Amino acid sequence: MKRSDGKVSKFGVRLLALAAGLCAAAAVDAKTVKICAVLPTSGPNAAIGIGMMNSMDLAVKTINASGKLGDIQLELVRLDDASQPSMGVNAVLRAAADPEVLACSAHWNSPVALATRDIFNRNGMANLTPASITWKLTAEQKGDEIFRMAPPDTWQLDMAARFPIEAGMKKFYLIDDNTQYGKSLVTEMEKDASAKGASKLGSDSIAVGEKDFSAALTRAKATNPDFLFFGGVTTESALLRQQMVKLGMNQFFYTGSGTMSPTFVSIAGAAAEGTYAYFYGLPYHTYPGGKEFIQAYAKAGYDKPFETYGIWSYAAVEVLAEAIRQANAAGKLNRRGIVDVMKTATFSTVLGDASFPKPGDIKQRVMGYYTVSGGKWVLTHRSDAAGNLVKLDKPEPLELP
């Protein structure tokens, strides 16, 4: 308070000191919690990774603006794994060394996720991977820190094998990209398709980064399979499809969720038409928050599209944010506290409810079957609640930008 001579009284000094103290206390009470996103934002799968990273960024900004975490503000630590295990390891080691990073949503590629799994286990930090599907990732983990938004490949391939076989295709040929992920897919496809009465005519491997697959495709063509199944991801899948068409191969080309991207269509061009892929998701507009996600992403003005996995990446951040909120409310805002919430809670997301019973795989699952028609991925069949395959009355577009 000022006296008549303009000087501040002792009482005024005490008030100012108290106000300063209250401001300092408020600043201390405000918590910034870091979560890390480790995705391929460079390299052959950069388009997919950038869309996923943007979607996570949007989720963090939306959650912070909502105030639903109270005095907690999330900070997204963005790291690149370039779809390379070695880069993934370096990125996760960097995140784990920062005590303010309490949880992660890391990796699109399964080989990268496998390479970093033990780092998360050793550091007691949750990784809710938005897309890595190899069954080993959770089933063979040493701890309980790994969770995933995508169903494991064992479940996916059992559902996937049914589609061509129920359509009357009984002879198949397998090609993989010589990665753990690709080999896991073809191993499961062979097991599940054979158990359903189909016969394998042969198999082959290619290498990631190669461009000419004519030798492998010529061997496959000679066996005259009903369908050719590829275990791999976008770039190699698109090149294979291009070269199949050039070789006059009219066999049913079938692949997995790693190919379900607009990037596949842009690389393969006209040859993409008729390709089929199974994918553990439905068109975005069918999900509770799908339309709102699409609108919010467009309004945010990102210079790259969200691609296929955007909404799963957004949902992963929603799950981590709610786990952080619950851990904080229980007085356990630390890495272990977040893991414990992840193991038991059911989370509300743009996709609907999500929960992760042991060993960490998502409980809520659906399988969609898509083809490229008119340059876009469209849904033609899906699984119902009982696991039966249902043909849609008319194809539904995936509605990707």
Side-chain angles (χ1 to χ4, degrees), residues 52 106-110 129-133 148-150 257 280 309:
M52 296 171 74
H107 313 310
W108 180 68
N109 303 83
S110 289
T129 175
S132 302
I133 66 170
R148 62 167 139 221
M149 296 297 299
S257 57
Y280 53 87
Y309 299 89

Side-chain angles (χ1 to χ4, degrees), residues 59-70 72-76:
V60 166
K61 290 176 178 176
T62 302
I63 291 165
N64 283 342
S66 74
K68 65 175 61 177
L69 299 187
I72 292 175
Q73 287 283 294
L74 297 179
E75 179 182 331
L76 187 66

Side-chain angles (χ1 to χ4, degrees), residues 38-280:
V38 187
L39 297 165
T41 53
S42 67
N45 302 305
I48 293 169
I50 291 170
M52 296 171 74
M53 189 72 78
N54 288 346
S55 300
M56 291 188 184
D57 176 72
L58 177 62
V60 166
K61 290 176 178 176
T62 302
I63 291 165
N64 283 342
S66 74
K68 65 175 61 177
L69 299 187
D71 62 354
I72 292 175
Q73 287 283 294
L74 297 179
E75 179 182 331
L76 187 66
V77 178
R78 302 167 179 82
L79 299 170
D80 179 22
D81 64 28
S83 292
Q84 296 294 324
S86 59
M87 285 191 64
V89 166
N90 289 337
V92 174
L93 284 171
R94 176 180 166 187
D98 184 347
E100 294 183 358
V101 175
L102 298 190
C104 285
S105 185
H107 313 310
W108 180 68
N109 303 83
S110 289
V112 186
L114 284 170
T116 67
R117 177 180 58 188
D118 288 353
I119 302 172
F120 288 106
N121 293 152
R122 288 196 304 270
N123 287 275
M125 182 163 62
N127 177 24
L128 175 56
T129 175
S132 302
I133 66 170
T134 179
W135 67 272
K136 294 182 179 182
L137 183 62
T138 50
E140 294 185 350
Q141 65 173 312
K142 295 176 182 176
D144 55 2
E145 292 83 5
I146 309 300
F147 306 89
R148 62 167 139 221
M149 296 297 299
D153 54 5
T154 44
W155 178 85
Q156 291 192 41
L157 266 296
D158 178 65
M159 295 296 295
R162 294 172 54 186
F163 183 69
I165 293 169
E166 290 188 13
M169 303 179 208
K170 300 294 186 181
K171 300 179 295 180
F172 62 93
Y173 195 96
L174 303 172
I175 298 179
D176 65 76
D177 65 359
N178 210 28
T179 67
Q180 189 281 332
Y181 166 77
K183 288 187 175 297
S184 177
L185 293 187
V186 297
T187 297
E188 292 298 319
M189 176 58 77
E190 178 179 358
K191 181 184 75 174
D192 293 323
S194 298
K196 292 172 173 56
S199 301
K200 184 181 83 167
L201 300 183
S203 61
D204 218 324
S205 294
I206 61 172
V208 174
E210 286 186 3
K211 304 297 183 184
D212 183 2
F213 306 130
S214 57
L217 287 172
T218 299
R219 290 189 288 269
K221 183 179 181 180
T223 68
N224 193 29
D226 294 325
F227 71 95
L228 188 155
F229 178 77
F230 175 59
V233 295
T234 307
T235 301
E236 287 71 32
S237 184
L239 294 174
L240 270 172
R241 181 58 179 167
Q242 275 186 334
Q243 292 167 40
M244 281 182 68
V245 172
K246 288 180 180 178
L247 287 171
M249 295 179 68
N250 58 5
Q251 282 84 1
F252 186 84
F253 182 57
Y254 192 36
T255 184
S257 57
T259 290
M260 276 285 301
S261 163
T263 302
F264 170 83
V265 179
S266 66
I267 295 174
E273 293 292 306
T275 296
Y276 254 93
Y278 63 89
F279 179 52
Y280 53 87

